[in-house]
Amino acid sequence: VLYKENVGTGTPIPVTPEMERVKHNQEICSSVLYKENIGQATPTPVTPEMERVKRNQEIISSVLYKENVGKVTPTPVTPEMERVKRNQEIISSVLYKENLGRATPTPITPEMERVKRNQEHISSVVYKEGLGKATPTPVTPEMERVKRSQEHISSVLYKEHLAKGTPTPMTPEMERAKRNQENISSVLYSDSFRKQVQGKAAYVLDTPEMRRVRETQKHISTVKYHEDFEKNKGSFTPVVTDPITERVKKNMQDFSDISYRGIQRRVVEMERKRVDQDQENFTG
């Protein structure tokens, strides 16, 4: 710290390639000088005696390590310790099996199949015991529609993952086979339709849910009808008046006046009297 306090402010200089080269040379020189101080050594082979001495040293180190361990108090083996021990053995067995090489396959006997099925049944029963009680729900038209939509989406996603195929030319034989298949499918469909559907009515279960939906639809239709009626009540639709409409309107008014006032009846009576008078004049 005192040394740095006496150092004034300096001017930074950029690190040039020449400075990098000098620094690199200094490092090489330091490495060469260090290795020059090391004398030449003679390699010696590892003899059995040296191996024995090395093993003895390891054993002595292990003994000295154990001598430093004090006395311990024995503890009883509890069920929890037994469980942990068994888990460790199972884990060790799994790890051991991972390192196994090729094995000789053994045939699956009927007894093994029976035991395997029993284990599956036991697992299924234990799984179902953990499930709570459920409330069954009827399959509504909306649920059927959603199910069909999901099937269409699954089909589209399945087709998206398909790889590109190699197109093959349509030969006359393939065209003939395709037409035959279409004809066979049409015949089978028609036969099935005539046997199962033709002349028979389609039965639909009248469930409480469908009755509720039907009643709701009736109420909605009635409310909508009355709403439109109340909205349009007291209003009229303007109609363009043209000469033809005026003439028809006037004729209808005349017919109404004639029927209301009895003019038609008097005209008929006057016409009959005039005919009778003409007959009398002609005979007289």
Side-chain angles (χ1 to χ4, degrees):
V1 175
L2 295 176
Y3 168 74
K4 293 182 179 180
E5 287 179 355
N6 297 326
V7 177
T9 57
T11 304
I13 56 175
V15 180
T16 61
E18 181 66 20
M19 295 175 66
E20 288 286 344
R21 187 182 63 80
V22 172
K23 183 178 180 182
H24 185 62
N25 291 337
Q26 289 292 331
E27 292 175 355
I28 294 173
C29 293
S30 299
S31 177
V32 171
L33 294 174
Y34 171 76
K35 291 180 180 179
E36 286 179 352
N37 296 326
I38 297 175
Q40 294 181 353
T42 302
T44 58
V46 179
T47 61
E49 182 66 19
M50 294 175 67
E51 289 286 343
R52 186 182 63 79
V53 172
K54 184 178 179 180
R55 283 197 300 273
N56 291 337
Q57 288 293 329
E58 292 175 355
I59 294 170
I60 292 170
S61 298
S62 176
V63 171
L64 293 176
Y65 170 75
K66 291 181 180 179
E67 285 180 355
N68 296 326
V69 177
K71 294 181 180 180
V72 296
T73 304
T75 57
V77 180
T78 61
E80 181 65 18
M81 294 174 67
E82 289 285 344
R83 186 183 64 81
V84 173
K85 185 178 179 181
R86 284 196 301 273
N87 291 339
Q88 289 294 330
E89 290 175 355
I90 293 170
I91 294 171
S92 299
S93 176
V94 171
L95 295 176
Y96 170 75
K97 291 180 180 179
E98 288 181 353
N99 297 325
L100 291 178
R102 295 181 180 178
T104 303
T106 57
I108 298 175
T109 61
E111 181 65 18
M112 294 173 68
E113 288 286 343
R114 185 182 64 80
V115 172
K116 184 177 178 182
R117 284 196 300 272
N118 290 339
Q119 288 295 328
E120 291 176 355
H121 294 328
I122 293 170
S123 299
S124 177
V125 170
V126 172
Y127 170 75
K128 291 180 180 179
E129 286 179 353
L131 295 177
K133 295 182 179 180
T135 304
T137 57
V139 179
T140 60
E142 180 66 17
M143 294 172 67
E144 289 287 342
R145 185 185 65 78
V146 172
K147 184 178 178 181
R148 286 196 300 272
S149 299
Q150 288 294 330
E151 292 175 355
H152 295 326
I153 293 170
S154 299
S155 176
V156 171
L157 293 177
Y158 170 75
K159 292 178 180 178
E160 286 181 354
H161 295 302
L162 292 179
K164 294 182 179 179
T166 303
T168 57
M170 291 292 291
T171 61
E173 181 65 20
M174 294 175 67
E175 289 286 345
R176 184 183 65 78
K178 184 178 178 181
R179 284 197 301 272
N180 289 339
Q181 287 294 330
E182 291 176 354
N183 294 333
I184 293 170
S185 300
S186 178
V187 171
L188 294 177
Y189 173 76
S190 299
D191 290 343
S192 177
F193 176 77
R194 282 193 295 270
K195 291 178 182 178
Q196 299 180 9
V197 180
Q198 192 174 13
K200 297 181 180 179
Y203 296 97
V204 180
L205 295 177
D206 190 10
T207 60
E209 181 67 17
M210 294 183 68
R211 287 197 294 270
R212 185 184 65 79
V213 172
R214 189 165 59 245
E215 291 294 330
T216 305
Q217 289 294 330
K218 289 181 181 179
H219 294 327
I220 293 172
S221 300
T222 305
V223 171
K224 184 67 176 174
Y225 171 76
H226 283 291
E227 182 180 354
D228 294 339
F229 176 76
E230 293 294 334
K231 188 182 296 183
N232 297 325
K233 185 171 66 174
S235 61
F236 61 91
T237 303
V239 180
V240 179
T241 304
D242 55 351
I244 297 176
T245 306
E246 289 288 341
R247 183 175 62 79
V248 172
K249 184 178 179 181
K250 188 174 183 304
N251 290 337
M252 293 300 295
Q253 187 69 30
D254 294 339
F255 286 137
S256 299
D257 291 343
I258 290 171
S259 299
Y260 177 72
R261 296 178 183 178
I263 297 175
Q264 181 68 23
R265 187 172 60 255
R266 284 186 291 175
V267 169
V268 172
E269 291 177 358
M270 291 175 65
E271 184 66 23
R272 187 169 59 251
K273 288 180 181 180
R274 186 180 64 79
V275 173
D276 293 340
Q277 188 176 2
D278 290 341
Q279 288 291 335
E280 291 176 358
N281 294 331
F282 181 74
T283 55

